[in-house]
Amino acid sequence: MTGQERREAIVRYLAAHERARVDDLAQHLGVSVVTIRSDLRLLENAGYVVRMHGVVVLSQNTAAEIAFAERRQKHSGVKGKIGAEAARLVNNGDSIILDAGTTTLEIARHLKQHEALLVMTNGLDIAMELSHAPGVEIIMLGGKLRKTALSCSGAEAEASLSHHRFDRLFLGVDAMELTRGLTTDHENEASLNRAMIAIADEVVAVTDSSKADRKSVYLVSNFDGIDRLVTDDQLPDAYIEALRHEHHVEVILS
């Protein structure tokens, strides 16, 4: 194992175990304590780890990057299909909002050939994804950055919405229940999502079926405020029927 491979292994170990002592890492990797201390010094100087009180942990930025990468990979194939299906709802000349999220990022990847398209987003990665698309104009919302999601929210972001009106909002979903609607664990993002809904002529929720029957604390919207749901074909039939007939939501399966 080279030094670079060993240092990468240290980062992976810390991602899995949150913290470790030098002795733990030396035993895990089968090298001396002196070697581990040298590796940790290099990793700390590069900003990957922090040493404190006899233990080593990942730096806040490194932990955030790993968490986001893992979230992006989860159900990535399903999210790609949902994104492609949702993108079919977008026409040249539209004005849309793309809420931050891994599924809405997949929508953005299918919009690069559109013309005269206006996209507002609070997702840094979405803005970067579309930054080289010649026919797409981007409005980036400000606010406080949540590093694990690369999303902005807060009073500054909501203030940016006040003088706009958009054809369509594509709304990411953290959790949904038939009785409660769409919810999230993040208060600022729930507030921003409600403000987005208020300025959109049509609201399209996009999510994979794993979010069904999950509950979170802060309400984004009940289903009566959602026009369409784009999801995968694993959503239970009872869910689909209730959405279509009780809440009048058009359900599109990818």
PDB file of all heavy atoms in Angstrom, residues 2-22:
ATOM      1  N   THR A   2       0.634   2.136  -0.947  1.00  0.00           N
ATOM      2  CA  THR A   2       1.405   3.372  -1.012  1.00  0.00           C
ATOM      3  C   THR A   2       0.943   4.341   0.075  1.00  0.00           C
ATOM      4  O   THR A   2      -0.114   4.156   0.697  1.00  0.00           O
ATOM      5  CB  THR A   2       1.239   4.047  -2.378  1.00  0.00           C
ATOM      6  OG1 THR A   2      -0.118   4.492  -2.511  1.00  0.00           O
ATOM      7  CG2 THR A   2       1.582   3.089  -3.513  1.00  0.00           C
ATOM      8  N   GLY A   3       1.726   5.405   0.280  1.00  0.00           N
ATOM      9  CA  GLY A   3       1.343   6.404   1.267  1.00  0.00           C
ATOM     10  C   GLY A   3       0.009   7.050   0.940  1.00  0.00           C
ATOM     11  O   GLY A   3      -0.824   7.277   1.827  1.00  0.00           O
ATOM     12  N   GLN A   4      -0.224   7.345  -0.351  1.00  0.00           N
ATOM     13  CA  GLN A   4      -1.485   7.954  -0.762  1.00  0.00           C
ATOM     14  C   GLN A   4      -2.655   7.013  -0.498  1.00  0.00           C
ATOM     15  O   GLN A   4      -3.703   7.427   0.008  1.00  0.00           O
ATOM     16  CB  GLN A   4      -1.428   8.327  -2.248  1.00  0.00           C
ATOM     17  CG  GLN A   4      -2.704   8.972  -2.786  1.00  0.00           C
ATOM     18  CD  GLN A   4      -3.013  10.296  -2.113  1.00  0.00           C
ATOM     19  OE1 GLN A   4      -2.109  11.037  -1.722  1.00  0.00           O
ATOM     20  NE2 GLN A   4      -4.295  10.592  -1.941  1.00  0.00           N
ATOM     21  N   GLU A   5      -2.480   5.740  -0.827  1.00  0.00           N
ATOM     22  CA  GLU A   5      -3.537   4.751  -0.582  1.00  0.00           C
ATOM     23  C   GLU A   5      -3.816   4.617   0.915  1.00  0.00           C
ATOM     24  O   GLU A   5      -4.971   4.466   1.330  1.00  0.00           O
ATOM     25  CB  GLU A   5      -3.130   3.404  -1.168  1.00  0.00           C
ATOM     26  CG  GLU A   5      -3.129   3.377  -2.690  1.00  0.00           C
ATOM     27  CD  GLU A   5      -2.506   2.109  -3.244  1.00  0.00           C
ATOM     28  OE1 GLU A   5      -1.727   1.457  -2.508  1.00  0.00           O
ATOM     29  OE2 GLU A   5      -2.783   1.773  -4.408  1.00  0.00           O
ATOM     30  N   ARG A   6      -2.757   4.668   1.722  1.00  0.00           N
ATOM     31  CA  ARG A   6      -2.925   4.556   3.175  1.00  0.00           C
ATOM     32  C   ARG A   6      -3.695   5.759   3.726  1.00  0.00           C
ATOM     33  O   ARG A   6      -4.582   5.613   4.566  1.00  0.00           O
ATOM     34  CB  ARG A   6      -1.552   4.440   3.835  1.00  0.00           C
ATOM     35  CG  ARG A   6      -1.606   4.074   5.309  1.00  0.00           C
ATOM     36  CD  ARG A   6      -0.220   3.789   5.864  1.00  0.00           C
ATOM     37  NE  ARG A   6       0.677   4.926   5.690  1.00  0.00           N
ATOM     38  CZ  ARG A   6       1.736   4.928   4.859  1.00  0.00           C
ATOM     39  NH1 ARG A   6       2.030   3.857   4.142  1.00  0.00           N
ATOM     40  NH2 ARG A   6       2.505   5.998   4.759  1.00  0.00           N
ATOM     41  N   ARG A   7      -3.384   6.942   3.233  1.00  0.00           N
ATOM     42  CA  ARG A   7      -4.089   8.136   3.708  1.00  0.00           C
ATOM     43  C   ARG A   7      -5.556   8.119   3.267  1.00  0.00           C
ATOM     44  O   ARG A   7      -6.443   8.555   4.004  1.00  0.00           O
ATOM     45  CB  ARG A   7      -3.363   9.389   3.227  1.00  0.00           C
ATOM     46  CG  ARG A   7      -2.032   9.606   3.970  1.00  0.00           C
ATOM     47  CD  ARG A   7      -1.372  10.899   3.610  1.00  0.00           C
ATOM     48  NE  ARG A   7      -0.750  10.881   2.292  1.00  0.00           N
ATOM     49  CZ  ARG A   7       0.469  10.407   2.044  1.00  0.00           C
ATOM     50  NH1 ARG A   7       1.198   9.884   3.023  1.00  0.00           N
ATOM     51  NH2 ARG A   7       0.969  10.446   0.821  1.00  0.00           N
ATOM     52  N   GLU A   8      -5.817   7.617   2.071  1.00  0.00           N
ATOM     53  CA  GLU A   8      -7.212   7.469   1.633  1.00  0.00           C
ATOM     54  C   GLU A   8      -7.947   6.465   2.520  1.00  0.00           C
ATOM     55  O   GLU A   8      -9.127   6.649   2.843  1.00  0.00           O
ATOM     56  CB  GLU A   8      -7.252   7.026   0.168  1.00  0.00           C
ATOM     57  CG  GLU A   8      -6.806   8.109  -0.805  1.00  0.00           C
ATOM     58  CD  GLU A   8      -6.704   7.604  -2.235  1.00  0.00           C
ATOM     59  OE1 GLU A   8      -6.908   6.384  -2.448  1.00  0.00           O
ATOM     60  OE2 GLU A   8      -6.417   8.418  -3.129  1.00  0.00           O
ATOM     61  N   ALA A   9      -7.241   5.406   2.929  1.00  0.00           N
ATOM     62  CA  ALA A   9      -7.841   4.407   3.816  1.00  0.00           C
ATOM     63  C   ALA A   9      -8.153   5.009   5.184  1.00  0.00           C
ATOM     64  O   ALA A   9      -9.161   4.663   5.814  1.00  0.00           O
ATOM     65  CB  ALA A   9      -6.907   3.207   3.962  1.00  0.00           C
ATOM     66  N   ILE A  10      -7.306   5.914   5.648  1.00  0.00           N
ATOM     67  CA  ILE A  10      -7.561   6.594   6.923  1.00  0.00           C
ATOM     68  C   ILE A  10      -8.845   7.414   6.835  1.00  0.00           C
ATOM     69  O   ILE A  10      -9.691   7.384   7.740  1.00  0.00           O
ATOM     70  CB  ILE A  10      -6.364   7.493   7.305  1.00  0.00           C
ATOM     71  CG1 ILE A  10      -5.160   6.635   7.698  1.00  0.00           C
ATOM     72  CG2 ILE A  10      -6.737   8.436   8.450  1.00  0.00           C
ATOM     73  CD1 ILE A  10      -3.880   7.431   7.902  1.00  0.00           C
ATOM     74  N   VAL A  11      -9.014   8.151   5.744  1.00  0.00           N
ATOM     75  CA  VAL A  11     -10.225   8.964   5.564  1.00  0.00           C
ATOM     76  C   VAL A  11     -11.461   8.073   5.515  1.00  0.00           C
ATOM     77  O   VAL A  11     -12.493   8.381   6.127  1.00  0.00           O
ATOM     78  CB  VAL A  11     -10.108   9.828   4.289  1.00  0.00           C
ATOM     79  CG1 VAL A  11     -11.439  10.507   3.975  1.00  0.00           C
ATOM     80  CG2 VAL A  11      -9.014  10.877   4.459  1.00  0.00           C
ATOM     81  N   ARG A  12     -11.375   6.946   4.803  1.00  0.00           N
ATOM     82  CA  ARG A  12     -12.520   6.022   4.738  1.00  0.00           C
ATOM     83  C   ARG A  12     -12.844   5.456   6.118  1.00  0.00           C
ATOM     84  O   ARG A  12     -14.016   5.306   6.484  1.00  0.00           O
ATOM     85  CB  ARG A  12     -12.232   4.892   3.747  1.00  0.00           C
ATOM     86  CG  ARG A  12     -12.252   5.320   2.284  1.00  0.00           C
ATOM     87  CD  ARG A  12     -12.339   4.106   1.368  1.00  0.00           C
ATOM     88  NE  ARG A  12     -11.194   3.213   1.537  1.00  0.00           N
ATOM     89  CZ  ARG A  12     -10.057   3.316   0.857  1.00  0.00           C
ATOM     90  NH1 ARG A  12      -9.899   4.289  -0.030  1.00  0.00           N
ATOM     91  NH2 ARG A  12      -9.075   2.453   1.054  1.00  0.00           N
ATOM     92  N   TYR A  13     -11.816   5.121   6.883  1.00  0.00           N
ATOM     93  CA  TYR A  13     -12.022   4.578   8.231  1.00  0.00           C
ATOM     94  C   TYR A  13     -12.731   5.602   9.116  1.00  0.00           C
ATOM     95  O   TYR A  13     -13.675   5.272   9.846  1.00  0.00           O
ATOM     96  CB  TYR A  13     -10.674   4.189   8.841  1.00  0.00           C
ATOM     97  CG  TYR A  13     -10.781   3.517  10.193  1.00  0.00           C
ATOM     98  CD1 TYR A  13     -10.852   2.130  10.299  1.00  0.00           C
ATOM     99  CD2 TYR A  13     -10.809   4.267  11.370  1.00  0.00           C
ATOM    100  CE1 TYR A  13     -10.949   1.506  11.537  1.00  0.00           C
ATOM    101  CE2 TYR A  13     -10.911   3.658  12.612  1.00  0.00           C
ATOM    102  CZ  TYR A  13     -10.976   2.276  12.692  1.00  0.00           C
ATOM    103  OH  TYR A  13     -11.083   1.668  13.920  1.00  0.00           O
ATOM    104  N   LEU A  14     -12.299   6.851   9.034  1.00  0.00           N
ATOM    105  CA  LEU A  14     -12.917   7.901   9.847  1.00  0.00           C
ATOM    106  C   LEU A  14     -14.350   8.178   9.401  1.00  0.00           C
ATOM    107  O   LEU A  14     -15.213   8.498  10.223  1.00  0.00           O
ATOM    108  CB  LEU A  14     -12.080   9.177   9.777  1.00  0.00           C
ATOM    109  CG  LEU A  14     -10.704   9.100  10.461  1.00  0.00           C
ATOM    110  CD1 LEU A  14      -9.905  10.359  10.178  1.00  0.00           C
ATOM    111  CD2 LEU A  14     -10.859   8.889  11.959  1.00  0.00           C
ATOM    112  N   ALA A  15     -14.607   8.059   8.111  1.00  0.00           N
ATOM    113  CA  ALA A  15     -15.977   8.249   7.621  1.00  0.00           C
ATOM    114  C   ALA A  15     -16.905   7.183   8.187  1.00  0.00           C
ATOM    115  O   ALA A  15     -18.075   7.449   8.482  1.00  0.00           O
ATOM    116  CB  ALA A  15     -15.996   8.219   6.100  1.00  0.00           C
ATOM    117  N   ALA A  16     -16.379   5.972   8.368  1.00  0.00           N
ATOM    118  CA  ALA A  16     -17.197   4.869   8.879  1.00  0.00           C
ATOM    119  C   ALA A  16     -17.304   4.872  10.399  1.00  0.00           C
ATOM    120  O   ALA A  16     -18.330   4.474  10.961  1.00  0.00           O
ATOM    121  CB  ALA A  16     -16.619   3.534   8.407  1.00  0.00           C
ATOM    122  N   HIS A  17     -16.243   5.327  11.095  1.00  0.00           N
ATOM    123  CA  HIS A  17     -16.194   5.210  12.552  1.00  0.00           C
ATOM    124  C   HIS A  17     -16.266   6.551  13.289  1.00  0.00           C
ATOM    125  O   HIS A  17     -16.268   6.580  14.520  1.00  0.00           O
ATOM    126  CB  HIS A  17     -14.909   4.483  12.975  1.00  0.00           C
ATOM    127  CG  HIS A  17     -14.834   3.066  12.490  1.00  0.00           C
ATOM    128  ND1 HIS A  17     -14.388   2.743  11.221  1.00  0.00           N
ATOM    129  CD2 HIS A  17     -15.160   1.897  13.086  1.00  0.00           C
ATOM    130  CE1 HIS A  17     -14.425   1.425  11.070  1.00  0.00           C
ATOM    131  NE2 HIS A  17     -14.895   0.893  12.180  1.00  0.00           N
ATOM    132  N   GLU A  18     -16.277   7.650  12.545  1.00  0.00           N
ATOM    133  CA  GLU A  18     -16.378   9.014  13.069  1.00  0.00           C
ATOM    134  C   GLU A  18     -15.101   9.514  13.732  1.00  0.00           C
ATOM    135  O   GLU A  18     -14.700  10.648  13.534  1.00  0.00           O
ATOM    136  CB  GLU A  18     -17.558   9.164  14.040  1.00  0.00           C
ATOM    137  CG  GLU A  18     -18.909   8.985  13.368  1.00  0.00           C
ATOM    138  CD  GLU A  18     -20.056   9.334  14.289  1.00  0.00           C
ATOM    139  OE1 GLU A  18     -19.804   9.723  15.453  1.00  0.00           O
ATOM    140  OE2 GLU A  18     -21.210   9.215  13.841  1.00  0.00           O
ATOM    141  N   ARG A  19     -14.451   8.685  14.540  1.00  0.00           N
ATOM    142  CA  ARG A  19     -13.220   9.105  15.199  1.00  0.00           C
ATOM    143  C   ARG A  19     -12.342   7.890  15.463  1.00  0.00           C
ATOM    144  O   ARG A  19     -12.818   6.756  15.452  1.00  0.00           O
ATOM    145  CB  ARG A  19     -13.515   9.831  16.512  1.00  0.00           C
ATOM    146  CG  ARG A  19     -14.240   8.994  17.560  1.00  0.00           C
ATOM    147  CD  ARG A  19     -14.504   9.817  18.812  1.00  0.00           C
ATOM    148  NE  ARG A  19     -15.318  10.976  18.499  1.00  0.00           N
ATOM    149  CZ  ARG A  19     -15.296  12.106  19.196  1.00  0.00           C
ATOM    150  NH1 ARG A  19     -14.480  12.233  20.225  1.00  0.00           N
ATOM    151  NH2 ARG A  19     -16.079  13.112  18.866  1.00  0.00           N
ATOM    152  N   ALA A  20     -11.058   8.140  15.704  1.00  0.00           N
ATOM    153  CA  ALA A  20     -10.142   7.031  15.980  1.00  0.00           C
ATOM    154  C   ALA A  20      -8.921   7.551  16.720  1.00  0.00           C
ATOM    155  O   ALA A  20      -8.563   8.726  16.623  1.00  0.00           O
ATOM    156  CB  ALA A  20      -9.712   6.355  14.678  1.00  0.00           C
ATOM    157  N   ARG A  21      -8.278   6.656  17.461  1.00  0.00           N
ATOM    158  CA  ARG A  21      -6.991   6.960  18.065  1.00  0.00           C
ATOM    159  C   ARG A  21      -5.888   6.531  17.108  1.00  0.00           C
ATOM    160  O   ARG A  21      -6.101   5.702  16.217  1.00  0.00           O
ATOM    161  CB  ARG A  21      -6.845   6.232  19.398  1.00  0.00           C
ATOM    162  CG  ARG A  21      -7.866   6.649  20.464  1.00  0.00           C
ATOM    163  CD  ARG A  21      -7.677   5.837  21.729  1.00  0.00           C
ATOM    164  NE  ARG A  21      -7.775   4.400  21.449  1.00  0.00           N
ATOM    165  CZ  ARG A  21      -7.473   3.456  22.329  1.00  0.00           C
ATOM    166  NH1 ARG A  21      -7.026   3.786  23.532  1.00  0.00           N
ATOM    167  NH2 ARG A  21      -7.600   2.182  22.006  1.00  0.00           N
ATOM    168  N   VAL A  22      -4.716   7.072  17.321  1.00  0.00           N
ATOM    169  CA  VAL A  22      -3.579   6.722  16.468  1.00  0.00           C
ATOM    170  C   VAL A  22      -3.315   5.222  16.527  1.00  0.00           C
ATOM    171  O   VAL A  22      -3.066   4.573  15.501  1.00  0.00           O
ATOM    172  CB  VAL A  22      -2.326   7.515  16.892  1.00  0.00           C
ATOM    173  CG1 VAL A  22      -1.092   7.003  16.146  1.00  0.00           C
ATOM    174  CG2 VAL A  22      -2.520   9.000  16.626  1.00  0.00           C
TER     175      VAL A  22
END
